[in-house]
Each structure stands twice: as C-alpha cells, then as structure tokens.
Amino acid sequence: MTEKYVLTMSCGNRRGIVSRISAAIFHRDGDIVEADQFDDPETGLFFMRIVFALPVTMGEPLGQDMAIIARDLDMTWQLHRMSAKKRVLLMVSKFDHCLVDLLYRWRIGELHMNITGIVSNHSRECFDTDFGDIPFHHLPVTIDTKPEQEAAIRQLVAETRTDLVVLARYMQILSDEMAGFLSGRCINIHHSFLPGFKGAKPYHQAHLRGVKLIGATAHYVTSDLDEGPIIEQDVERISHADTPEDLVRKGRDIERRVLSRAIGFHLEGRALMNGGKTVVFRD
C-alpha cells in the first residue's frame, strides 16, 4: 500500500542535488510522479518540489534520510503526506466576501484544509453567514488593547495547532511581533495590484486617476506593510464608464479568486519563499 507525499526544498545551488534526493526516494521504494525545479541565478538558490508515491511504512525512514541530506546541503525542506490536511485559521473584519468564498471552496473540497476557527474584530451578529460548527472568536481590538488581542490570537494559533493564518480582508495592521510569529505562514489579500494606491479607498483613488486596470494581490505577511513576498495577482480591464461602485464590485471578484489560488498554492506546497519574492510552481 502506497501514499503520496510532497517534498519541497531549497538550498544553495550545486551539482548533484537532484540526484541525491531522487536516489533517496528510490532507495525507499518511492515512485516520482511529478517534479518541478528552479535555479535562481540572482540568489544562487535552488528550489524543488517533488510529488511521489511511497510505501506507507517508508514515510518516517525517508524523513530521516532527508534530515541527513538537509544537514549536508544546508537545505530548508518540508515533507508532507498529501492526504494530511493543513490546519487553517481565517481572520476577517466587516467585508466577508473572501471569507464566504473560502468557506464554499472548502465545503466542496476545492481547498484541501481543515478550518480551525474564524477570528474577527467584529461580533458574530455582523455576519449573515452560516459558519456551521466552525468556532468563531470575537476578539475586538483598539490601539490600547492591541498587544492583548494579538497575544490571544497567538495563543489560539498554538492551541489549535494552526499551520496557516489567512487574513481574508482582516483590516487591522499586524504588529512586528505578530508578523514575525506568523512568518511564512500568514497570507493576506490586498485590494490592489501591488505596488499601487495606498491608504483609504484605493478603488476611488484609481477611479480619480483614470486607471484602465484594477487588480488584487495575495502575499505572505511581513513587518513591512503590504510589501511581503507576492504569491498571486490578477487584474481586470475597466473603462471610463465604470463608476467607483463598479470598481468595488469587480474588485471583490478579483480578490476572491486571487486569495483562493494563493491558499491553494500554499496548501499544495507550490509556493516557496525566496527572500522578498516567491517561487510558485503552478499546476
């Protein structure tokens, strides 16, 4: 009996990396079914994602083999069973269009994940949405209570063994401490094609400037506001006839699809951080 695994890795580029890893998989009776790799000439780093079938008894031994290889190559790596769902915490403020879309995609099986909870700085009564049995946590925040509120979120992440936090239009700026705590495991959706119009009402700013494209950006969260490594982006063409309300409506649709794609890439091990950028092995 076999099970599919996905291995992702990065390290300084050198000869023999692919050979050594593929030989380790072969040694444990693994069968590679998908492989992607990228050699970044700017950073000198090598990235790889491999999907392979492996006898169920060989997962732990292969992990031990990879740990040895990782020490030799100074390699960052992750090995996951594809059947194991990652645990995801969703955070939202008033605008729930991204949240509702993610719940739908999760319920039909499009997003392979377990939702550990929903966190909002607004009360449950603000949402006209059926959350079912998903735990809802109302954690209001002010400037004065921000440290305590973020401490509660960190505790929740730890208690629920959350793998990924998604800011599904959570309209609060995370502190540097919080961003560091969630480094590499927090995705935000930005209602603009970054770099773009910053501040309040970006669609209205875009309308005043007469732009012909609007977009959205999903990125990993860092302490630099809206400057984290970009995972996915999309745009839509507009015209002089579109009102700010038209831009908002079209923008909501872009945000939904960009965020869901970015989460899917992360869950499938397709998005690898590369300094201030990402390597995304698209399906």
Side-chain angles (χ1 to χ4, degrees), residues 217-269:
T217 302
H219 63 90
Y220 286 113
V221 171
T222 65
S223 57
D224 294 324
L225 181 62
D226 299 329
E227 298 291 338
I230 293 171
I231 306 170
E232 178 67 343
Q233 294 180 292
D234 204 352
V235 295
E236 185 167 328
R237 185 164 295 280
I238 60 173
S239 77
H240 60 276
D242 285 305
T243 66
E245 290 71 26
D246 291 329
L247 271 59
V248 170
R249 173 177 53 81
K250 294 180 179 181
R252 283 196 298 262
D253 187 49
I254 305 173
E255 292 165 20
R256 285 190 289 258
R257 62 180 185 254
V258 168
L259 182 58
S260 65
R261 286 201 298 257
I263 294 171
F265 291 151
H266 181 93
L267 296 177
E268 296 172 8

Side-chain angles (χ1 to χ4, degrees), residues 59-78:
E60 185 174 346
L62 179 62
Q64 296 170 353
D65 296 342
M66 287 300 165
I68 295 174
I69 295 174
R71 287 196 297 268
D72 293 345
L73 300 181
D74 191 20
M75 182 176 83
T76 299
W77 65 289
Q78 288 187 330

